[in-house]
Amino acid sequence: FRNGTTKIRPGRYGFYCGVDEVGRGAIAGPIVAAAVIMPRGWYPTDLDDSKKLSKSKRMKLHDIMWKRVHCQVGVVSPKEIDEINVHNASLLAMTRAIEGFRVLPPTVLIDGAYVPKELKSFSRAIVSGDSLVPSIAAASIFAKVYRDKLMVSLSKRYPAYGWEKNVGYGTKHHLAAIRE
């Protein structure tokens, strides 16, 4: 993977599943995680952490990968976040995404420092994994695109908050709308 120094390849017993989440820093909306298994030896040029990509590049990569990868998404609602806290909600979203596969992947690589305790697969947390592991970078893109589309859709019901632009993050406009 061009951005990293660690080479992580499909394992002897199956493919690695990369996992990442988005929405932890938002003040509105859900936390969304994606789990992605990529074909052996394939990833698109310019694949990178979703935060480092422009919206147009992110969408282009999403569309390129859509037909070639296996992806599952896990969502944790704002109500659940309030009940269990944002950290536990992000781990729950990851667990839901991974458990969406019919057959659990034998190895799961997670962006960050924590692994959900409930996982039945061997798992490893990798700090900055979205810059080191192609399947985690792909997961960051799928999670971001999914959550952004959801927030744009919600903005039609709640237009005052500008979610079609800020996707639930605490921008100046969003904070002013909340105060109003």
Side-chain angles (χ1 to χ4, degrees), residues 14-131:
F15 292 96
Y16 289 112
C17 172
V19 182
D20 199 4
E21 54 72 31
V22 295
R24 280 183 64 123
I27 59 173
I31 290 179
V32 175
V36 172
I37 300 171
M38 300 183 79
R40 188 181 304 264
W42 177 86
Y43 59 87
T45 306
D46 298 329
L47 181 62
D48 206 343
D49 172 10
S50 65
K51 294 181 292 297
K52 297 177 183 175
L53 301 170
S54 67
K55 183 177 180 180
S56 63
K57 178 64 100 173
R58 192 169 44 246
M59 291 305 298
K60 181 180 177 192
L61 286 166
H62 175 274
D63 294 345
I64 288 169
M65 292 186 293
W66 182 251
K67 294 178 183 168
R68 303 241 6 218
V69 306
H70 298 283
C71 178
Q72 293 294 322
V73 173
V75 179
V76 176
S77 72
K79 183 176 190 268
E80 290 174 295
I81 296 167
D82 290 344
E83 291 170 0
I84 64 174
N85 80 42
V86 75
H87 172 73
N88 290 327
S90 69
L91 296 175
L92 179 57
M94 292 176 190
T95 301
R96 287 177 178 171
I98 295 160
E99 290 178 347
F101 291 114
R102 278 187 296 160
V103 176
L104 291 178
T107 303
V108 176
L109 303 174
I110 296 171
D111 181 51
Y114 300 97
V115 171
K117 293 176 189 162
E118 304 80 22
L119 291 184
K120 295 175 178 77
S121 302
F122 170 78
S123 51
R124 177 177 161 197
I126 301 174
V127 175
S128 299
D130 46 9
S131 293

Side-chain angles (χ1 to χ4, degrees), residues 155-167:
S155 74
K156 294 173 183 148
R157 285 183 24 203
Y158 305 99
Y161 300 105
W163 293 341
E164 70 282 356
K165 291 183 180 148
N166 63 46
V167 294

Side-chain angles (χ1 to χ4, degrees), residues 117-179:
K117 293 176 189 162
E118 304 80 22
L119 291 184
K120 295 175 178 77
S121 302
F122 170 78
S123 51
R124 177 177 161 197
I126 301 174
V127 175
S128 299
D130 46 9
S131 293
L132 298 171
V133 181
S135 59
I136 296 176
S140 78
I141 291 169
F142 278 95
K144 175 94 173 111
V145 168
Y146 185 95
R147 187 177 186 284
D148 286 0
K149 286 181 178 180
L150 178 62
M151 293 307 291
V152 168
S153 174
L154 287 171
S155 74
K156 294 173 183 148
R157 285 183 24 203
Y158 305 99
Y161 300 105
W163 293 341
E164 70 282 356
K165 291 183 180 148
N166 63 46
V167 294
Y169 288 87
T171 63
K172 190 175 183 179
H173 173 265
H174 190 186
L175 295 171
I178 291 170
R179 281 191 296 272

